[in-house]
Amino acid sequence: ITFSDRGVKIEKRGGLVSDLFFVANKERNITYKTPYGVLAMESRCKKIEIEETEQKLNIHIEYDLYASKELLSENITEIRAEVTDEV
């Protein structure tokens, strides 16, 4: 996961491979590589909120996934990370 003022990038690896780049109010073409072939889709990012302090990071992304102009799903991804003193 990487992020900047431009947007948020999430790279997934394993049985399903994808590179998702979310920019608020933008549409992006994406591909999912599966053991059964490649799926071409489009993401439409509705909202991104990023809260970053020295101790925590919160990322909230709302987006829809489309295939062949048909809505497949409405999604919310929440990413939260905190620094702790535990070893």
Side-chain angles (χ1 to χ4, degrees):
I1 300 168
T2 56
F3 64 94
S4 70
D5 292 340
R6 289 190 47 215
V8 177
K9 183 175 182 180
I10 301 174
E11 297 179 19
K12 296 182 180 185
R13 301 292 180 257
L16 177 74
V17 176
S18 66
D19 291 325
L20 307 171
F21 187 63
F22 298 103
V23 177
N25 303 309
K26 297 286 182 182
E27 299 175 4
R28 307 280 299 190
N29 292 324
I30 59 172
T31 57
Y32 284 97
K33 296 176 186 170
T34 74
Y36 307 103
V38 176
L39 303 172
M41 295 187 189
E42 182 179 279
S43 70
R44 295 182 186 169
C45 183
K46 299 184 280 188
K47 181 179 184 180
I48 296 176
E49 294 176 344
I50 299 173
E51 178 188 356
E52 181 183 21
T53 68
E54 289 185 22
Q55 295 295 315
K56 68 179 180 176
L57 171 66
N58 293 325
I59 299 174
H60 175 92
I61 307 166
E62 295 180 17
Y63 64 99
D64 297 337
L65 281 181
Y66 290 81
S68 301
K69 308 275 184 207
E70 183 176 329
L71 178 64
L72 297 178
S73 62
E74 296 177 346
N75 305 278
I76 296 174
T77 297
E78 296 272 351
I79 301 165
R80 295 185 178 149
E82 280 189 45
V83 174
T84 64
D85 294 331
E86 296 179 27
V87 179

